[in-house]
Amino acid sequence: MRISSFFYTIGQGFKNLGRNKWYTLASIATISACLFLFGLFYSIITNFQNVVKTAEEGVSVTVFFNEGIGEEQILVVKSDLEKRPEVREIVYVSADEAWEGFKEEYLGEYADGFTENPLADSANLQIYLNDVSMQGALVTYIESIDVVREVNRSEVTATTLSGLNKLIAYISAGIIIILLLVSIFLISNTVTMGIAVRKDEINIMKYIGATDFFVRAPFVVEGIIIGIIGSLIPLVIIYFVYTNAISYIVSKFTMLSSILNFLPVEIVFNKLFPISLAIGIGIGFFGSFTTVRKHLHV
């Protein structure tokens, strides 16, 4: 009995699509348009976040030590700092490595005039963070270490990148909420029209003892189907648009592509596909369920 009811519900859900085809097509088209805009927005934001993340990975805190501090003591401090939650990676730069880097970058052939290393006390630790917003807490801790002479950090860069991350999060949340509300409204209208068209049939079903679930379930199935179709269509379009757009930019604007590290379409779709599908199904389910509960009075 339960199996037959299940198949009846599914069948009625598909029948509802045909009975209300113009409203169904309008809802699918509108949901597809909403999710297409969401997908484009997500693809752009994901790449922008990748650019910000790459920039964050290049931000480091450089720690210099008091004169006479040996490599062994510095490595002890390094080991201690590696346990901090703010730290992603620490690179130890010896005094000799610091001098070699300085010669290569600034002196060139003129470095031959130096017989000794003028940066003998310049051994340092370059600390890369998990999140640039944690820089302040880490610097405060490092400055409390007795053997530390100086801590160099880029506060403006860290603040800017942290602000960008928050701005992206707020904008993303706002757009997602708007798209959800618009799509739910459209699904609700479609289901309401479906109820009006089948009002007499529903009254008969209720009269002969059909339960609320038995009557309402087909409309919920209809909404879910609309949501699935409405999410798959824009995903296919976005896949080809994104692939061709990135290929075009890389081939025509080589300078831009060297600055911006575009994510492969597979990485973008690893999250975009399940998110869009979940949004489509969620909109279809909650939009239909809420509308039926509110408007189905039989």
Side-chain angles (χ1 to χ4, degrees):
M1 186 67 179
R2 291 181 180 178
I3 296 176
S4 60
S5 296
F6 172 78
F7 284 109
Y8 170 82
T9 300
I10 300 297
Q12 287 300 117
F14 278 100
K15 280 185 179 181
N16 285 355
L17 294 174
R19 290 177 180 179
N20 309 308
K21 62 180 180 179
W22 294 115
Y23 301 107
T24 297
L25 290 174
S27 290
I28 290 175
T30 309
I31 291 174
S32 296
C34 290
L35 289 180
F36 178 76
L37 292 176
F38 167 76
L40 285 182
F41 172 77
Y42 177 86
S43 301
I44 294 171
I45 289 299
T46 301
N47 277 281
F48 187 72
Q49 285 179 325
N50 183 58
V51 172
V52 174
K53 182 181 178 182
T54 302
E56 284 184 346
E57 290 175 351
V59 175
S60 64
V61 173
T62 305
V63 182
F64 295 96
F65 297 87
N66 296 331
E67 294 184 9
I69 298 298
E71 181 176 310
E72 186 175 337
Q73 289 177 283
I74 295 175
L75 292 179
V76 170
V77 174
K78 176 177 179 289
S79 177
D80 180 56
L81 290 175
E82 285 175 335
K83 300 174 184 177
R84 299 279 302 181
E86 306 93 338
V87 176
R88 174 172 58 89
E89 180 186 5
I90 300 180
V91 177
Y92 169 65
V93 181
S94 67
D96 291 337
E97 290 172 336
W99 174 232
E100 289 299 324
F102 184 85
K103 286 193 299 182
E104 183 177 343
E105 185 171 357
Y106 297 105
L107 299 180
E109 60 184 15
Y110 300 104
D112 296 336
F114 293 88
T115 57
E116 296 182 359
N117 183 358
L119 303 179
D121 293 308
S122 62
N124 62 82
L125 297 177
Q126 294 181 0
I127 304 174
Y128 298 91
L129 309 176
N130 286 315
D131 188 336
V132 292
S133 64
M134 300 177 174
Q135 180 178 266
L138 179 64
V139 169
T140 300
Y141 173 77
I142 295 173
E143 289 177 338
S144 67
I145 300 175
D146 293 336
V147 296
V148 172
R149 179 179 85 242
E150 183 182 357
V151 180
N152 288 345
R153 77 273 195 182
S154 179
E155 189 144 356
V156 173
T157 302
T159 303
T160 301
L161 292 175
S162 181
L164 281 174
N165 278 330
K166 290 181 180 179
L167 180 62
I168 292 170
Y170 291 145
I171 293 175
S172 301
I175 291 179
I176 289 172
I177 290 172
I178 292 172
L179 291 174
L180 287 175
L181 292 176
V182 170
S183 299
I184 289 174
F185 173 76
L186 293 167
I187 284 287
S188 299
N189 285 341
T190 300
V191 176
T192 301
M193 293 296 179
I195 293 173
V197 170
R198 298 183 59 209
K199 189 172 182 64
D200 292 338
E201 180 183 343
I202 291 170
N203 276 311
I204 294 172
M205 293 172 65
K206 291 292 292 182
Y207 181 76
I208 63 176
T211 63
D212 288 345
F213 174 80
F214 192 77
V215 174
R216 293 170 177 173
F219 293 101
V220 175
V221 171
E222 177 188 7
I224 292 175
I225 294 170
I226 290 173
I228 292 174
I229 297 173
S231 62
L232 291 178
I233 292 173
L235 283 172
V236 173
I237 297 173
I238 290 170
Y239 184 91
F240 288 103
V241 169
Y242 184 89
T243 303
N244 291 326
I246 296 302
S247 299
Y248 179 80
I249 293 173
V250 170
S251 61
K252 297 293 183 179
F253 305 97
T254 53
M255 182 176 294
L256 182 62
S257 62
S258 63
I259 298 173
L260 301 178
N261 184 24
F262 295 105
L263 292 171
V265 65
E266 293 79 12
I267 293 179
V268 174
F269 265 69
N270 279 342
K271 291 185 178 179
L272 179 59
F273 181 84
I275 289 174
S276 294
L277 195 60
I279 290 175
I281 294 173
I283 288 173
F285 175 80
F286 289 107
S288 301
F289 183 84
T290 303
T291 305
V292 172
R293 186 176 182 181
K294 182 178 180 181
H295 297 286
L296 185 57
H297 301 293
V298 293

